[in-house]
Amino acid sequence: MREDRQDVREVDDPRRRIPRTDHLLALPAVARARAALGEHVVRGVVRAAQDRARSGAIAPEGVADEVLRALGDRPAASLRPVLNATGVLVHTNLGRAPLSEPARQALLEAAGYTDVEFDLDTGSRSRRGAGVRSALLEACPDAEDALVVNNGAAALSLATTALGPGEVIVSRGELIEIGAGFRLPDLITATGPSLREVGTTNRTHLADYAEAITPATACALRIHTSNYRISGFTSTVPIAELAPLCRRTGVPLVADLGSGLLAPEPLLPEEPDVSSALRDGADLVIISGDKLLGGPQAGILLGRAEVVARLARHPLARAVRADKLALAALEATLTGPVPPVLAALRRDPEELRERTARLAERLDARLVPHEGRVGGGGGAEVPLPGWAVALEPALAAPLRRGDPAVVTTVHEGECLLDLRCVPETEDERLAEAVRAARTAR
Ligand SMILES: *Cc1c(COP(=O)(O)O)cnc(C)c1O
């Protein structure tokens, strides 16, 4: 009698109705999900749904649906594509430069086994990154040699370390923080070199560098103040004036330009470029691959052959070497058409106005003037005159959370959609996203 009663109680316990793991794993949709997701991920999703039923958060009958929904929503990687409607070309939070079509293709092709360090003709080992090196030298004939590393920070660290041991001479006006709390002076000293600061925040003269040069000098470093500007009573020493002093004293002159322009850009007259810096006498120039160059994350070093060779031989070079995917995408960016960031920079203001006006009309919204920005990649303060669609501010959050995710700027009570960095082919999807965001509210 007592045993019978206990059975009845257990049958009544809703937890007994929770589907078993093997039953859930055998559902056709779950079996399909296992093609894209690992066994441990699928089992984790199953366990989480069962736990929710056990705790009473969902009904046991809802477990299968919960599993299917969770697997359906779950991409293999969590990074999601974003429509950048901020008007900021190089947005570090949004992954900086979007890659060109050829760069995306090259990246896919390099994803499997590839001849990154292998000569298919002779069957012997070859120099890593030979293709991208040729592409860089072709794009920048003033450089004798080139080396690609993980990013701009790695390039700076490698250069100041490999040219040592010793002191790195740098102006007090150029000791910059590049974002997220990272400071170039800390980066330089982290691997051993010491800093020899010269001049003041606003003014540094040639004599300051001359007085600082001693037998302990590793190199002289000019850092482009890419994310801020000092104006007023200022003076810096141009590379062309510093170079003769460095040459005379045998001190290598390194220029960290940051932004990644290989040649002068008429729209950004204040922005330094690699060719001019080398012609002015820099021995080594450093740029990032994913700013105005428009490629993947990379640090690019260009300059005199013996200086580049010294860097390539240093043990740190191996620790900061570039990935095959980055090498492939960078080469395709250099040999390909104008990359998306530069296309966005050079957009015709009238075309931009017409396009934005069309979208504003479709969305029953206002067209307003709006200035884009280059962003962290350089030309920090230079306004890029353009336009925006002004929407109700409450749309910013649903737009961000929608599919596609759209990132806008909220300014003075308006949610602004700037089309400068949105590919024209996406206008339709953007309009749809706004309609969806309006109904989602
Ligand atoms: C962006 C920047 C860096 C850092 O480059 P990353 O590619 O972000 O590592 C270094 N120096 C300057 C002047 C920069 O603008």
Side-chain angles (χ1 to χ4, degrees), residues 22 110 313 328 419 439:
D22 55 352
R313 279 197 306 268
L419 299 185
T439 41

Side-chain angles (χ1 to χ4, degrees), residues 17-37:
R17 302 201 307 273
I18 294 173
R20 285 176 22 203
T21 302
D22 55 352
H23 168 79
L24 291 166
L25 289 177
L27 293 172
V30 174
R32 275 198 302 278
R34 283 152 113 175
L37 297 169

Side-chain angles (χ1 to χ4, degrees), residues 96 151-153 176 178 184 223-224 226 256-258 288 290-291 298:
R96 293 196 178 161
N151 63 3
I176 70 176
I178 52 177
L184 294 188
I223 302 173
H224 174 51
S226 56
D256 177 8
L257 304 184
S288 294
D290 53 358
K291 294 179 179 173

